Amino acid sequence: MDKDFNPFPVTGYRGPRYFCDREEETALLQKHIKNGINTTLFAIRRLGKTGVIQHLMEGYKNSRSISCIYVDILSTRSLKEFSNQLATAIYQQFPENRSAGKKIIDFIRHLSPVISYDSLSGQPEVSFETSEIKRTEKTIQQLFTFLDKQGKKVVFAIDEFQQVLEYPEKNTEAVLRSCIQHLKNTRFVFCGSDQKMMHEIFSSAKRPFFASCSSLHMGYIEQEKYEAFISKIFKQHKRSVDSESLSFIYEWTLGHTYYVQYLCNHLFSLNIKHIRMADVREAAADILKQ
């Protein structure tokens, strides 16, 4: 293992070994997927919604019957940009050397997109040049429908979904609801960082997505579970944390996932073999100064 590796990530997903709990949430999402139910994931900011989605998808990584697609639409500003993100996510997910992947990639190419490559990651990016709204709507419908007919169950996670409320096309919710409601093999997980806007989309009787999904409200990880996880991770790296320090970590951060991870990340970086209260208080003070 990289000697500079920090096992308490504050961004991204590093695999199940470095992921704490969320067993109930993951199990419920799996149950909904199995039973054909779309889900809206609600939680306060930085509590780990995206991590839960990535953890869910990790569980299907080796599945031959289920494919998972994740797309973050925060950077999109219109329905056209949404369609580009959608096509890019699909294009990147399916390797061309597999039969299903070849069919899907050939289909996307059939829609006459411009395919470029990100200068940093080297990943392909798909964009449609059309400015016609009706053409964009049809493209989105075609992408979802073709994907749904490939004989595999698809789990499609759309992050920062509240962004659709910012689009100039005011019928975006109706367009997407119309595309989604008839799909048989594709299940959706919607989540976003603005709870008020997300509730407006899915809980208002006046809006297209009303009563279309099961809601999953994600709370804080229990103190006992989080303390045990922290202790285990430090122990795996030949370090120890006394019980008083563990309690302080959880209570000082109010059990908020991001802040727990941030404090533990800072503590780990200090390379202390036997962590005591004085060390944790000093680390907390350093964070406040920053």
Side-chain angles (χ1 to χ4, degrees), residues 69-247:
I69 302 173
Y70 170 85
V71 60
D72 184 337
I73 65 169
L74 182 62
S75 63
T76 62
R77 296 292 180 269
S78 65
L79 193 61
K80 176 184 173 182
E81 291 185 13
F82 175 91
S83 71
N84 292 344
Q85 287 282 70
L86 182 70
T88 296
I90 295 172
Y91 193 92
Q92 292 178 356
Q93 177 61 31
F94 295 93
E96 193 169 5
N97 59 356
R98 297 182 183 177
S99 57
K102 190 175 188 308
K103 286 181 183 178
I104 292 168
I105 290 173
D106 285 346
F107 174 76
I108 291 176
R109 286 173 176 164
H110 172 71
L111 299 175
S112 302
V114 174
I115 300 175
S116 57
Y117 292 86
D118 185 272
S119 59
L120 295 177
S121 67
Q123 289 289 324
E125 295 181 340
V126 178
S127 59
F128 299 98
E129 297 299 299
T130 179
S131 58
E132 298 176 17
I133 299 301
K134 290 298 180 183
R135 175 77 179 274
T136 299
E137 293 175 5
K138 185 177 180 181
T139 297
I140 293 172
Q141 184 175 32
Q142 287 176 320
L143 286 168
F144 279 135
T145 302
F146 187 82
L147 196 64
D148 196 62
K149 292 181 177 179
Q150 297 312 302
K152 292 185 71 174
K153 185 172 287 186
V154 177
V155 178
F156 214 119
I158 304 180
D159 209 349
E160 302 297 352
F161 188 70
Q162 79 281 338
Q163 189 65 23
V164 300
L165 295 182
E166 304 291 343
Y167 294 172
E169 301 88 0
K170 299 306 178 183
N171 67 331
T172 294
E173 293 167 77
V175 169
L176 295 180
R177 179 75 177 98
S178 178
C179 291
I180 288 169
Q181 66 180 343
H182 299 299
L183 301 179
K184 297 179 180 179
N185 297 313
T186 306
R187 299 281 67 86
F188 290 84
V189 180
F190 303 98
C191 71
S193 58
D194 190 316
Q195 285 197 92
K196 182 179 179 181
M197 294 173 74
M198 290 291 288
H199 277 290
E200 176 67 18
I201 293 171
F202 293 98
S203 301
S204 172
K206 298 178 181 179
R207 307 193 82 97
F209 275 96
F210 175 69
S212 64
C213 303
S214 176
S215 295
L216 173 56
H217 291 263
M218 197 170 79
Y220 295 94
I221 296 172
E222 294 177 9
Q223 182 168 355
E224 184 178 347
K225 290 183 178 179
Y226 222 151
E227 288 183 11
F229 171 78
I230 295 167
S231 179
K232 180 185 72 174
I233 296 297
F234 273 111
K235 188 176 181 181
Q236 287 173 351
H237 291 80
K238 297 180 172 55
R239 307 183 193 187
S240 64
V241 189
D242 62 36
S243 58
E244 184 183 17
S245 298
L246 288 170
S247 295

Side-chain angles (χ1 to χ4, degrees), residues 13 16 25-37 52-69 93 98 152-157 187 189:
Y13 176 76
E25 293 89 343
T26 304
L28 184 57
L29 285 168
Q30 290 172 335
K31 180 181 177 181
H32 285 175
I33 290 166
K34 181 179 179 180
N35 292 286
I37 299 171
V52 169
I53 291 175
Q54 292 171 329
H55 186 64
L56 170 75
M57 292 183 167
E58 178 71 17
Y60 295 120
K61 190 174 181 179
N62 298 316
S63 173
R64 294 184 178 181
S65 59
I66 298 177
S67 291
C68 299
I69 302 173
Q93 177 61 31
R98 297 182 183 177
K152 292 185 71 174
K153 185 172 287 186
V154 177
V155 178
F156 214 119
R187 299 281 67 86
V189 180

